[in-house]
Amino acid sequence: MKVRLCNLALCFTQHLVYNSSIRQYIIHLRPLSLTMATESTEASATSACASDCSCDESSSLTVTSRRKKIKGTGNEILFVDRLSQLAEISNDNVQLVVWPTGDSNFLRALANPSIPAENLPTFEGMVPALPKLVAEIIKKHIYLPYALRSRPNVLNEEEATELSEHIDKLVQQFADVAIQSGFMDGNVDGDVDEIPFVHVKLQVMTTDGCRFWHQDSVPFRLVSTLRGPCTEWVPPEFSTTTLKRKNHDSKHAQSMKLGDVALFKGRGDVEAKSIFGHPGIVHRSPRIEGSGDARIVLVIDIPQQGWHFD
């Protein structure tokens, strides 16, 4: 099997070759291009709403994070202790699952305010949910053995490895939940042709992004802020009132903490005109435009044709 994988700065082919003597597939990565992204620095450091966002264009808010389990019929918010517990998002009663990861070397390094936004690591691409391969792909993108003046390494090799392996684990867990929930085909333990792919985006944001309260038109989405102010959300019981005032601050707003890994339930494939009365966490990007802050946000999605690939 031969798959062509591309991202903003690295394009390569992945060859899965079966070795009969050890009865395993051996993975070979062959670089095709190491050219830098053609997009300008300014464009790569800004963001508009994603195509699946239900908000539209039309005072800053201070929020705090509550570390507890919030229950209600169909409205459960879970803060869990283990990565594997993100699978709780498959429960119809659960709208949000948060795994607090705590401190890490790469989070401390990325928080350095002296790093210009244009030098912060980014990545976007479809990756196969194969353990260790995702880490190899990400690390090849965010860390160069020989630093270039046009692309300095902001993470040392140890930090880049830690971040890459962290994303690798999240990809495996996300793919497993998506497959078990019936939203994605594939089997990481089966035939090589059944290996699932997910979409990974490590994005630098210096604008407000999805600044209005909204729900995502996806079954669920993994979001984690690795630098800067974090994603804001409201408990489900306040979804309708918040959506009706989507341009305004909410006294019910909560905020993720840096490094939190969150699985947000979306409203699925729902017509844009039907905004209210659907499951899905109402959330928004923090308003940072003009503040000088630069956020790094990791998003993992179930690939959608016409959106992530043709």
Side-chain angles (χ1 to χ4, degrees):
M1 175 180 164
K2 180 179 177 182
V3 182
R4 188 173 186 269
L5 301 174
C6 293
N7 55 49
L8 295 180
L10 179 65
C11 190
F12 52 86
T13 56
Q14 170 204 347
H15 296 261
L16 299 178
V17 182
Y18 188 74
N19 186 318
S20 59
S21 64
I22 59 174
R23 297 183 180 181
Q24 291 184 0
Y25 282 93
I26 307 300
I27 300 163
H28 299 279
L29 298 177
R30 296 181 181 176
L32 296 178
S33 171
L34 289 175
T35 56
M36 292 299 292
T38 57
E39 298 171 318
S40 67
T41 295
E42 181 178 0
S44 64
T46 60
S47 170
C49 287
S51 59
D52 67 335
C53 173
S54 63
C55 71
D56 55 44
E57 293 295 336
S58 342
S59 63
S60 62
L61 170 69
T62 301
V63 291
T64 58
S65 181
R66 294 188 296 180
R67 321 301 292 180
K68 66 179 183 178
K69 183 175 180 178
I70 306 170
K71 279 191 172 182
T73 303
N75 289 339
E76 281 195 41
I77 308 297
L78 303 180
F79 291 90
V80 299
D81 299 321
R82 300 188 303 276
L83 173 61
S84 61
Q85 292 175 308
L86 290 177
E88 291 290 338
I89 197 67
S90 300
N91 188 321
D92 290 340
N93 291 327
V94 176
Q95 299 297 308
L96 173 65
V97 184
V98 183
W99 176 48
T101 61
D103 198 12
S104 66
N105 292 326
F106 67 79
L107 284 178
R108 289 193 295 271
L110 293 174
N112 185 344
S114 67
I115 303 174
E118 60 268 23
N119 290 344
L120 292 170
T122 61
F123 174 89
E124 183 171 7
M126 300 270 289
V127 298
L130 286 174
K132 298 184 180 180
L133 176 58
V134 176
E136 186 173 353
I137 293 171
I138 300 292
K139 185 176 177 180
K140 282 179 180 292
H141 189 93
I142 66 173
Y143 178 81
L144 295 177
Y146 304 99
L148 304 175
R149 276 189 290 181
S150 60
R151 188 187 172 189
N153 288 320
V154 298
L155 299 175
N156 62 36
E157 186 169 10
E158 180 182 349
E159 293 160 348
T161 298
E162 183 185 29
L163 173 57
S164 301
E165 291 177 348
H166 175 66
I167 296 175
D168 188 302
K169 292 177 182 178
L170 298 183
V171 165
Q172 312 312 319
Q173 183 62 36
F174 182 88
D176 184 62
V177 174
I179 292 170
Q180 296 302 319
S181 302
F183 291 112
M184 198 166 72
D185 295 327
N187 182 0
V188 295
D189 298 320
D191 187 88
V192 67
D193 291 325
E194 297 180 357
I195 293 171
F197 280 70
V198 301
H199 185 265
V200 175
K201 189 172 187 177
L202 187 65
Q203 183 177 23
V204 176
M205 303 178 69
T206 58
T207 68
D208 292 340
C210 292
R211 60 179 297 188
F212 302 115
W213 297 109
H214 67 281
Q215 297 166 310
D216 293 328
S217 298
V218 296
F220 52 79
R221 163 175 288 162
L222 187 149
V223 179
S224 182
T225 302
L226 306 182
R227 169 179 161 137
C230 300
T231 302
E232 300 165 5
W233 58 280
V234 295
E237 58 267 35
F238 304 113
S239 292
T240 298
T241 54
T242 304
L243 287 171
K244 287 180 178 179
R245 293 173 51 84
K246 65 181 180 181
N247 299 352
H248 301 276
D249 295 338
S250 170
K251 65 181 181 180
H252 305 295
Q254 302 293 303
S255 177
M256 296 298 164
K257 285 189 174 181
L258 195 66
D260 278 359
V261 175
L263 267 184
F264 286 74
K265 186 161 285 181
R267 60 188 185 136
D269 187 16
V270 178
E271 293 291 333
K273 62 183 179 182
S274 178
I275 297 176
F276 309 115
H278 300 285
I281 285 293
V282 173
H283 62 285
R284 73 175 185 182
S285 300
R287 299 185 174 184
I288 63 169
E289 193 161 355
S291 68
D293 287 336
R295 304 175 64 216
I296 301 179
V297 183
L298 172 67
V299 178
I300 302 179
D301 273 314
I302 300 168
Q304 302 291 330
Q305 189 170 7
W307 173 21
H308 297 119
F309 63 94
D310 296 329

